[in-house]
Amino acid sequence: MGKNTVTIVNNATGQELELPLMTGTHGPATVDIGSLYSKLGIFTYDNGFKSTASCQSSITFIDGEEGILLYRGYPIEQLAEKSNFMEVCHLLYYGELPTKEQYSKFSWMITRHSMINESLRDFYHGFWHNAHPMSIMVGVVGALSAFYHDSLEIDNPRHQEIAAHRLIAKMPTIAAASYKYSIGQPMVYPQNRLSYCENFLQMMFSVPASEYEINPLHAKALDLLFILHADHEQNASTSTVRLAGSSGANPFAAVSAGIGALWGPAHGGANEAVIRMLEEIRDVSAIPKYIARAKDKNDSFRLMGFGHRVYKSYDPRARIIRNTAHDILKTTSGNDPLLEIAMRLEEIALKDEYFIQHKLYPNVDFYSGIIYKAIGIPVNMFTVLFTIARTIGWITQWKEMMSDKERVIGRPRQLYTGAARRDYVPIERRS
Ligand code: SDX
């Protein structure tokens, strides 16, 4: 038996199979079970893919026990402190931090693609004005493929790059337009003289009737939040983008599928759900009641913003965001009562035996909503901002999947537990 193998024994039949053990740069070794069904006639079962590596990737690495997050090898703490979102987009997509020349070329490319086709603006008017902005994002982003036939040769690296530039560049414009449509205000065009986050803020909040002054602190806070949300290995929405893309669907359709997955409250929708939860708790005195509910197996209530499939220690992004939440609130209307409740909730939860035992720590969504709220972002736009930030992660993971020489359509199997084979019964004989 080789050192770099794992032997599977089917005790029911006595069959044995030696499988290769693969090791990466960091993280657990991975057994390649690709030949399991053909050799032993059995599948593996892994509800929620808790022990399953769906692909090989060189983009992002997470160590959930140690609370480590690396983008192309760089620690998130260093990127949060020293980099900016445009530079992180370049790092993730091209694999390296840009030189000065590469940075200015990339930033200009993104800036010049920030407008959307005028006909796309009409698309919004088909939505009910009360539509959740995420429903508009799913629809409008999916429709982009109708406008960019010049970048749909999905195996052409240049087309992949143009599609990536367009998605990164247009997401803030599409997002801000979905907000403007929902409040009946005119959509605002991007301004090339502004940075990515400044542009988003002016598209969100400026109106033709008056001057809009961008708060640099708000732009800086957004830039940090976008860095922290940019990519996160094979989370639910990224896995959705990969699976959709593996069928040969165009990148706009694949990213639209990812937006749908991100919307769920167990995933990117948690930042909106955290604020709704804090608003429901309303007062620090009510916290013990909600913690008891979160522990009650008969109650489906969960503490939004707590827990993570991978992080079984403090989410490094939450640690960074926690400090920013305090800074940003010092510059706004003083302490938001929701932050008080959030801080108290965190303090109580982290001492509670159940949370300690279940390794439930605050995740990135716990504090991000507090910051978004402090800079005036409407709550139903929180997951839309997560969408803007995660677009670079999705399109980079899509490109990596498309460039994989061993790429095949993703098609999981199942354990069938339905009715055994049976014959059709004519309706007259059914009781
Ligand atoms: C994101 O995957 C990613 O990387 C996602 C993300 C990214 O950047 O892409 O990091 C972004 O989605 C962050 C997570 C945001 N979601 C929330 O904050 C929603 C609240 N959290 C939970 O729904 C939950 O913690 C999950 C979905 C995040 C993780 O769930 P798991 O890993 O499937 O864990 P589980 O549901 O099996 O729970 C394990 C135990 C259970 O108790 P037991 O049945 O074992 O007794 O922990 C309990 C759960 O009941 N538990 C919670 C809890 N989360 C888990 N109990 C109370 N409150 C919670 N929040």
Side-chain angles (χ1 to χ4, degrees):
M1 275 173 230
K3 256 185 346 81
N4 295 325
T5 62
V6 165
T7 302
I8 299 251
V9 179
N10 182 342
N11 293 319
T13 62
Q15 288 170 296
E16 277 196 17
L17 178 62
E18 202 173 356
L19 295 168
L21 199 57
M22 304 156 71
T23 48
T25 316
H26 298 307
T30 305
V31 58
D32 180 346
I33 58 165
S35 62
L36 185 66
Y37 179 59
S38 59
K39 294 275 174 54
L40 291 193
I42 55 175
F43 295 148
T44 58
Y45 178 67
D46 181 14
N47 182 33
F49 309 117
K50 295 186 176 176
S51 304
T52 295
S54 60
C55 62
Q56 297 185 48
S57 180
S58 60
I59 301 167
T60 295
F61 173 72
I62 303 173
D63 180 325
E65 301 307 324
E66 300 301 322
I68 290 170
L69 169 57
L70 308 176
Y71 288 166
R72 298 286 191 185
Y74 294 97
I76 193 67
E77 294 80 5
Q78 293 182 25
L79 294 171
E81 187 193 338
K82 299 174 180 152
S83 187
N84 63 59
F85 183 61
M86 267 307 100
E87 186 177 74
V88 165
C89 285
H90 185 286
L91 170 65
L92 285 169
Y93 192 78
Y94 296 102
E96 296 297 339
L97 289 169
T99 60
K100 277 199 186 122
E101 190 196 343
Q102 288 168 334
Y103 179 77
S104 52
K105 186 165 170 263
F106 178 75
S107 305
W108 168 238
M109 194 55 77
I110 299 302
T111 300
R112 67 185 290 273
H113 278 295
S114 54
M115 283 178 69
I116 56 176
N117 186 302
E118 279 303 294
S119 325
L120 203 57
R121 291 178 180 282
D122 302 335
F123 203 87
Y124 286 79
H125 297 287
F127 287 95
W128 193 36
H129 71 89
N130 263 0
H132 192 290
M134 283 298 279
S135 60
I136 299 177
M137 295 299 287
V138 170
V140 173
V141 172
L144 286 176
S145 53
F147 293 81
Y148 300 111
H149 294 124
D150 66 342
S151 59
L152 290 181
E153 284 171 31
I154 54 174
D155 290 308
N156 178 330
R158 182 65 194 117
H159 284 209
Q160 293 171 356
E161 185 180 41
I162 301 171
H165 289 164
R166 282 176 168 141
L167 279 161
I168 299 163
K170 296 178 195 307
M171 215 49 105
T173 311
I174 292 168
S178 67
Y179 170 61
K180 286 301 200 187
Y181 177 71
S182 73
I183 58 173
Q185 285 186 0
M187 295 173 191
V188 178
Y189 289 93
Q191 294 292 332
N192 286 356
R193 60 184 167 76
L194 297 174
S195 75
Y196 193 80
C197 292
E198 289 170 343
N199 225 340
F200 175 65
L201 287 170
Q202 73 92 13
M203 289 190 283
M204 277 286 288
F205 298 120
S206 74
V207 288
S210 64
E211 284 303 308
Y212 173 70
E213 198 182 325
I214 295 164
N215 181 327
L217 274 177
H218 292 182
K220 191 169 178 305
L222 269 190
D223 196 85
L224 171 62
L225 285 164
F226 286 177
I227 290 173
L228 297 176
H229 285 82
D231 193 49
H232 215 237
E233 284 192 357
Q234 306 312 317
N235 56 84
S237 53
T238 298
S239 300
T240 302
V241 171
R242 279 181 172 259
L243 198 55
S246 73
S247 74
N250 70 69
F252 305 105
V255 167
S256 171
I259 296 172
L262 186 75
W263 192 358
H267 189 14
N271 53 19
E272 176 178 347
V274 165
I275 298 295
R276 306 283 186 217
M277 175 188 74
L278 293 174
E279 286 168 344
E280 186 186 330
I281 292 175
R282 214 202 313 269
D283 185 89
V284 170
S285 61
I287 290 176
K289 181 180 83 173
Y290 283 88
I291 290 202
R293 283 190 59 194
K295 290 153 57 173
D296 179 357
K297 287 293 156 234
N298 300 316
D299 190 332
S300 61
F301 173 79
R302 288 201 166 171
L303 278 188
M304 290 290 111
F306 276 81
H308 198 278
R309 171 61 56 76
V310 176
Y311 289 124
K312 299 309 172 191
S313 62
Y314 216 98
D315 181 334
R317 303 167 298 176
R319 196 187 308 281
I320 295 165
I321 281 183
R322 190 174 191 272
N323 305 333
T324 307
H326 284 278
D327 297 346
I328 203 89
L329 282 165
K330 277 182 208 136
T331 65
T332 52
S333 56
N335 258 352
D336 180 329
L338 295 186
L339 179 72
E340 302 291 322
I341 296 172
M343 296 297 294
R344 193 82 186 91
L345 178 62
E346 181 197 28
E347 191 190 322
I348 297 172
L350 292 185
K351 289 184 191 136
D352 184 286
E353 197 38 50
Y354 176 91
F355 285 81
I356 294 167
Q357 201 187 35
H358 285 82
K359 299 183 178 179
L360 299 175
Y361 294 88
N363 57 48
V364 67
D365 295 297
F366 186 65
Y367 282 103
S368 56
I370 301 271
I371 298 171
Y372 287 145
K373 196 166 177 298
I375 59 182
I377 305 288
V379 179
N380 69 355
M381 284 292 290
F382 287 3
T383 311
V384 174
L385 268 71
F386 198 149
T387 302
I388 295 173
R390 187 52 57 88
T391 294
I392 178 59
W394 288 329
I395 198 64
T396 301
Q397 298 268 353
W398 172 82
K399 185 196 73 169
E400 184 177 67
M401 182 269 301
M402 293 301 291
S403 319
D404 182 348
K405 303 269 176 301
E406 295 175 10
R407 180 179 108 225
V408 289
I409 186 168
R411 204 285 185 206
R413 301 305 302 271
Q414 63 174 19
L415 177 67
Y416 175 67
T417 56
R421 188 195 176 287
R422 53 185 169 166
D423 293 325
Y424 183 81
V425 177
I427 193 161
E428 309 75 50
R429 287 176 26 212
R430 293 174 213 157
S431 51

